[in-house]
């Protein structure tokens, strides 16, 4: 492992809770309460990215629907549909709305909790989808998409945090990795819906898909309060007893349930207390120490990487890419749309199941290097295909090669930027700054998404295949940055990573709190009531130690 990536990783603590969790031999489906929790996480938290996936594929597919083109195309020739900057702003309005909402997300999350934040964001998206479906002109359509975008970051930040904070440590990396996989499910549904409505001879061909974007948000509104609140959020609100009961119910279904929950609770309390002692609960907390600034740098770059790695070309402008190499038939293009979405889902699920086996840095390096190789090959094949088309002699081999690299892009991207995105964000940010950190990631991801979705159609139109060279250069930079700057977070709980870049003494204090509980249980087989009492005593002792 590179020295540059590890020199500041001084605050990793002894993974006691991780070892206890790994000793548990029961599968999650053998634990009724935990199984119910995971089933509820899917329509609520996992289902959040359905909206983003549906949106990208819908805009992609509607660009070949004649009635959509006529509704928003220029008055002098509406059949050609929106062009250039107008096409870019229609696609980018979703990201622009998201950017506008980001400054208030940490406050909403910390004030109202994870569940209420999901409810608020979903309500906003329901309103946006209704306006989008009944839009009467292009300005109304763009505003509706901005409202949709305004609601989605609140749900994403809250949902990804809630998954990481509720899941049992053994399954937590897989569940947070599956969070982004719902994006591809949304793509498949949108591609299938648009394929089905493509033949409708009136404006309902585009209004139906636009209205159906309401469905994921309705799921979240219906199911979100079947979930418990985050135990960590409850601890910060002096509701530790409720947090303890939630952990006991969902994490205590093991042979060493009481002991494990006691140790987990002690770890959370000690870590959160140490975090909040120096936290002002403001955006300035993200920049106050060298460790925090490094987290911000990694988060900023990861936000840019997830959107500037060429994925928006495929997700928003596949129609233009295929048109450049001679594929114009709408039915054929719709079939490719659906097949790419299905292929991406298979890749995303497969990679997400490997996150407990392969280290984070290995996956990110494999992702960036393979993306660079894929894009270089894609650029070469695109050049051959477009040059042959312009000369009037189509190069079928180059066309097929271009299609192949478009499909090959998906497993390369999924290795890191899909499977690990929110897993990594939840891991590198401590609880006190987690909402702000993920919101910061969303900020740069949305800024990058807005920029690329706006610029991509202009670049493809003006310079053709040469536009892909810019992505090759950027991907080379990604490889270097990941190698030198990304820390390893594999195989530890969130609290064991809380002081990753800070003083080792802080991590040792948390370990001491856990060891007190473990040693107490080893020496005395105390009943549950006494365990709670001992936990409270530990908290008071730690407070005194910190004061000294």
């Amino acid at each position: 492992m590179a020295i540059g990536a590890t020199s500041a990783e001084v605050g990793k603590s002894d993974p006691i809770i991780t070892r206890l969790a790994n000793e548990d031999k029961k599968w999650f489906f053998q634990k009724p309460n935990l199984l119910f929790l995971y089933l509820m996480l899917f329509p609520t938290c996992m289902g959040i990215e359905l909206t983003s996936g549906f949106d990208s594929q819908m805009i992609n597919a509607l660009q070949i629907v004649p009635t959509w083109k006529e509704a928003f195309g220029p008055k002098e020739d509406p059949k050609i549909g929106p062009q250039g900057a107008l096409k870019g702003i229609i696609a980018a309005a979703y990201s622009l709305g998201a950017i506008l909402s980001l400054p208030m997300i940490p406050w909403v999350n910390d004030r109202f909790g994870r569940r209420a934040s999901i409810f608020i964001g979903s309500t906003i998206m329901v309103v946006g989808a209704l306006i989008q479906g009944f839009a009467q002109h292009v300005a109304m359509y763009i505003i509706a998409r901005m409202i949709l975008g305004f609601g989605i970051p609140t749900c994403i930040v809250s949902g990804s945090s809630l998954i990481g904070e509720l899941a049992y440590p053994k399954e937590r990396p897989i569940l947070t990795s599956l969070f982004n996989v719902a994006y591809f499910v949304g793509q498949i549904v949108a591609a299938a819906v648009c394929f089905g409505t493509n033949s409708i001879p009136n404006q309902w061909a585009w209004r139906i898909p636009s209205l159906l974007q309401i469905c994921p948000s309705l799921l979240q509104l219906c199911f979100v309060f079947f979930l418990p609140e985050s135990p960590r959020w409850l601890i910060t609100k002096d509701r530790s007893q409720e947090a303890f009961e939630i952990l006991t119910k969902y994490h205590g279904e093991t042979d060493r349930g009481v002991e494990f929950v006691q140790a987990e609770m002690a770890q959370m309390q000690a870590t959160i207390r140490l975090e909040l002692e120096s936290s002002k609960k403001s955006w300035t907390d993200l920049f106050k120490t060298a460790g925090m600034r490094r987290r911000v740098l990694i988060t900023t770059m990861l936000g840019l990487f997830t959107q500037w790695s060429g994925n928006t070309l495929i997700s928003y402008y596949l129609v233009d890419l295929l048109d450049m190499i001679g594929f114009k038939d709408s039915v054929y293009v719709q079939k490719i749309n659906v097949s790419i979405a299905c292929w991406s889902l298979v890749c995303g699920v497969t990679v997400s199941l490997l996150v407990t086996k392969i280290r984070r840095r290995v996956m990110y390096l494999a992702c960036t290097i393979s993306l660079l190789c894929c894009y270089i090959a894609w650029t070469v094949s695109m050049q051959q295909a477009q040059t042959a088309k312009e000369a009037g002699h189509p190069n079928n081999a180059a066309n097929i090669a271009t299609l192949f690299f478009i499909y090959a892009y998906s497993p390369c991207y999924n290795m890191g930027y899909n499977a690990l995105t929110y897993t990594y964000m939840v891991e590198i940010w401590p609880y006190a700054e987690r909402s702000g950190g993920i919101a910061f990631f969303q900020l740069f991801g949305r800024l990058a998404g807005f920029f690329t979705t706006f610029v991509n159609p202009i670049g493809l139109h003006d310079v053709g295949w040469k536009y892909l060279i810019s992505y090759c250069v950027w991907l080379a930079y990604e490889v270097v940055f990941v190698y030198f700057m990304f820390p390893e977070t594999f195989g530890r709980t969130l609290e064991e990573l809380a002081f990753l870049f800070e003083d080792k003494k802080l991590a040792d204090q948390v370990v001491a709190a856990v060891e007190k509980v473990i040693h107490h249980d080893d020496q005395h087989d105390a009943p549950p009531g006494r365990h709670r009492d001992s936990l409270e005593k530990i908290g008071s002792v730690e407070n005194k130690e910190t004061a000294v």
Side-chain angles (χ1 to χ4, degrees), residues 188-461:
I188 293 170
V189 174
V193 168
C194 292
F195 184 78
T197 62
N198 188 49
S199 57
I200 296 177
N202 54 50
Q203 289 199 353
W204 286 107
W206 65 267
R207 290 190 186 277
I208 290 174
S210 298
L211 284 170
L212 287 178
Q213 198 167 353
I214 200 175
C215 293
S217 298
L218 289 178
L219 276 176
Q220 285 132 41
L221 290 175
C222 292
F223 289 100
V224 68
F225 289 108
F226 285 96
L227 285 174
E229 185 52 85
S230 164
R232 292 164 176 85
W233 182 79
L234 292 171
I235 290 171
T236 64
K237 301 301 178 183
D238 295 324
R239 295 161 62 181
S240 296
Q241 184 59 37
E242 292 177 53
F244 183 84
E245 290 169 358
I246 290 171
L247 290 174
T248 301
K249 181 176 181 180
Y250 296 105
H251 291 190
E253 298 174 298
T254 67
D255 295 334
R256 301 177 66 177
V258 175
E259 177 187 0
F260 179 81
V261 172
Q262 285 279 321
E264 194 177 27
M265 186 72 178
Q267 188 184 58
M268 288 181 189
Q269 286 181 314
T271 303
I272 290 172
R273 174 178 51 76
L274 290 171
E275 291 175 18
L276 295 181
E277 281 174 358
S278 57
S279 175
K280 297 178 181 177
K281 285 294 180 181
S282 70
W283 285 101
T284 58
D285 289 339
L286 303 185
F287 304 93
K288 65 185 178 182
T289 66
M292 284 299 172
R293 290 190 290 273
R294 184 177 176 187
R295 288 184 178 95
V296 167
L297 177 61
I298 293 169
T299 298
T300 300
M301 289 296 108
L302 191 54
L304 297 179
F305 293 168
T306 56
Q307 299 299 320
W308 280 0
S309 297
N311 50 309
T312 52
L313 270 179
I314 298 173
S315 58
Y316 281 95
Y317 301 109
L318 180 64
V319 174
D320 292 345
L321 291 171
L322 296 179
D323 181 70
M324 288 169 63
I325 57 176
F327 296 114
K328 297 179 180 292
D329 180 66
S330 63
V331 175
Y332 183 73
V333 172
Q334 292 279 27
K335 288 179 179 178
I336 292 178
N337 257 338
V338 175
S339 64
I340 287 177
C342 293
W343 171 236
S344 297
L345 176 62
V346 171
C347 296
V349 172
T350 302
V351 174
S352 294
L353 297 177
L354 297 175
V355 295
T356 57
K357 307 295 182 183
I358 305 175
R359 292 184 176 274
R360 310 288 188 254
R361 277 174 48 80
V362 172
M363 292 183 73
Y364 270 123
L365 285 170
C367 168
T368 51
I369 292 171
S370 61
L371 279 176
L372 176 59
C373 295
C374 182
Y375 240 92
I376 291 172
W378 181 7
T379 303
V380 173
S381 65
M382 194 76 167
Q383 183 270 334
Q384 293 292 314
Q386 192 174 14
T387 302
K389 180 193 171 188
E390 292 172 352
H393 304 288
N395 186 334
N396 290 329
N399 291 344
I400 293 171
T402 300
L403 269 180
F404 171 81
F405 290 118
I406 289 175
Y407 279 92
Y409 180 90
S410 182
C412 300
Y413 183 87
N414 274 283
M415 270 190 279
Y417 295 144
N418 181 68
L420 287 182
T421 297
Y422 290 101
T423 299
Y424 207 59
M425 285 293 95
V426 170
E427 287 177 345
I428 69 170
W429 283 101
Y431 173 82
E433 286 83 22
R434 185 166 295 139
S435 294
I438 298 177
F440 206 79
F441 164 79
Q442 280 282 306
L443 172 64
F444 279 87
R446 297 297 175 176
L447 284 170
F450 175 80
F451 178 82
T452 54
T453 49
F454 181 76
V455 169
N456 279 342
I458 300 172
L460 290 175
H461 180 268

Side-chain angles (χ1 to χ4, degrees), residues 4-15:
T6 59
S7 59
E9 296 168 37
V10 297
K12 286 183 179 178
S13 67
D14 184 17

